[in-house]
Amino acid sequence: VTAGERLQRLGAMSSIGMMDPAFFVGKNELLSWLNELLDLNYSKVEQCANGAAYCQIMDACFPGEVAMKKVMFDAKHEHDFVKNYKVLQTLFDKKQITKHIEVTKLCKAKPLDNLEMLQWIKRYFDMHYGGNEYNAVERRGGLSFASTGAKENTATNKPAAAKTATVKTGAVRVARPASSSAPKRAGAPAGAGGSSANDEQVAKLTEEMTSMKLTVAELEKERDFYFGKLRDVEITCQTNERTDVGSLVEDIQKILYSTAEDVVVAAPAPEAVPEAQPVAAA
């Protein structure tokens, strides 16, 4: 296969429609895949808003072809997010990928926009990843995606990482080792220590419950959004009286590609012209 044929195939396969099974993959599955691939600890899809994760996913697909030195992994502001998306767009242009990047919407860190982008890019990754070994931490020069931009643990500080090696990025998630807090509880009075531990547990459970409520509300919103699309398509098909298939397809596409802010109203079917009645002879 020549280079030209490969580029042509990549361009053709980059157009993934909204009804592709990729857009029905849940965010938990996506986050699990993303964290494993890039050695991250993301808990929300909107954490991808700065564009760095999208750039590195494409770097895994096309090793050495993404300008990784230009990617700002610790970007915190929208003007820095835009720089990362410029790196991503440069690769898209190079590989003739026709996917339009909604930079403004993605930078706003809205869950739905970033969910759809992550769904698309995972589908593209599944289609084009060559199975090569990929060291995500090494490729980004040891930089962390955390807001501090601190270096991740390397071979020189493995003993420190071993204390919190319950998860892949335990050093980020764990605030302090359990051993450091044990002496304080042992030295405190039994009554006060028990009360403090209970208060801490209650606060932790309350925080988890609040987080779960927000997650459920977010999922319900996404469910209603996509159900609304399907219902609009159903109504459009049921009430269609036009013979022009192209016009019907256009209405359905407007519904499928609309966002939460858009209001899509199907075009009314043209009124039938009454046939002329024959005039009775006088």
Side-chain angles (χ1 to χ4, degrees):
V1 180
T2 65
E5 289 173 343
R6 177 171 172 76
L7 286 175
Q8 185 177 6
R9 183 172 66 87
L10 290 174
M13 296 178 71
S14 65
S15 181
I16 301 172
M18 287 294 293
M19 296 309 292
D20 190 279
F23 291 99
F24 295 93
V25 178
K27 72 173 186 177
N28 290 335
E29 181 180 341
L30 288 168
L31 288 171
S32 177
W33 165 77
L34 180 68
N35 289 333
E36 182 178 357
L37 175 67
L38 302 185
D39 198 6
L40 298 177
N41 200 23
Y42 278 4
S43 58
K44 299 178 181 179
V45 292
E46 52 266 40
Q47 288 176 273
C48 296
N50 70 0
Y54 301 136
C55 289
Q56 192 161 15
I57 292 170
M58 298 307 291
D59 180 66
C61 281
F62 307 107
E65 299 199 42
V66 178
M68 294 293 286
K69 291 183 179 179
K70 294 183 180 181
V71 179
M72 302 177 67
F73 294 98
D74 59 343
K76 306 175 190 175
H77 307 289
E78 288 190 20
H79 61 270
D80 291 328
F81 296 180
V82 173
K83 294 177 183 178
N84 287 342
Y85 285 111
K86 284 183 178 179
V87 174
L88 186 63
Q89 185 63 61
T90 299
L91 178 78
F92 277 24
D93 294 341
K94 183 178 180 181
K95 294 297 180 182
Q96 299 182 6
I97 300 173
T98 58
K99 167 72 174 175
H100 176 61
I101 304 174
E102 298 280 0
V103 177
T104 303
K105 292 181 178 180
L106 292 170
C107 287
K108 297 296 182 184
K110 292 185 178 180
L112 183 59
D113 296 320
N114 281 276
L115 175 67
E116 290 183 354
M117 181 62 179
L118 193 56
Q119 288 171 329
W120 181 91
I121 208 165
K122 182 184 184 301
R123 175 62 169 155
Y124 190 88
F125 176 88
D126 291 341
M127 294 165 67
H128 298 285
Y129 180 55
N132 49 291
E133 233 179 87
Y134 186 75
N135 188 327
V137 178
E138 183 180 301
R139 283 295 297 155
R140 57 179 177 264
L143 286 174
S144 170
F145 276 73
S147 58
T148 59
K151 292 280 184 176
E152 294 182 359
N153 292 321
T154 60
T156 58
N157 57 7
K158 280 184 179 178
K163 295 180 181 178
T164 55
T166 54
V167 291
K168 193 173 290 185
T169 51
V172 178
R173 293 175 64 92
V174 180
R176 60 176 183 270
S179 59
S180 63
S181 59
K184 294 180 181 179
R185 287 199 295 268
S195 176
S196 176
N198 289 338
D199 291 343
E200 186 178 346
Q201 184 71 8
V202 169
K204 182 180 178 182
L205 291 173
T206 302
E207 184 180 351
E208 289 180 359
M209 184 172 66
T210 302
S211 177
M212 290 175 68
K213 285 182 178 179
L214 291 173
T215 301
V216 170
E218 190 178 304
L219 289 172
E220 288 178 344
K221 183 179 178 182
E222 291 177 14
R223 177 202 64 192
D224 294 342
F225 176 75
Y226 287 110
F227 179 80
K229 282 179 178 283
L230 293 174
R231 180 60 179 152
D232 289 344
V233 171
E234 182 183 20
I235 293 173
T236 300
C237 293
Q238 288 177 345
T239 59
N240 175 60
E241 297 179 357
R242 290 163 289 181
T243 57
D244 182 9
V245 177
S247 177
L248 175 62
V249 171
E250 185 178 346
D251 284 347
I252 293 175
Q253 287 180 334
K254 285 180 181 178
I255 294 171
L256 294 178
Y257 291 101
S258 65
T259 64
E261 291 81 10
D262 298 332
V263 178
V264 180
V265 179
E271 295 183 2
V273 179
E275 297 181 1
Q277 298 295 327
V279 180

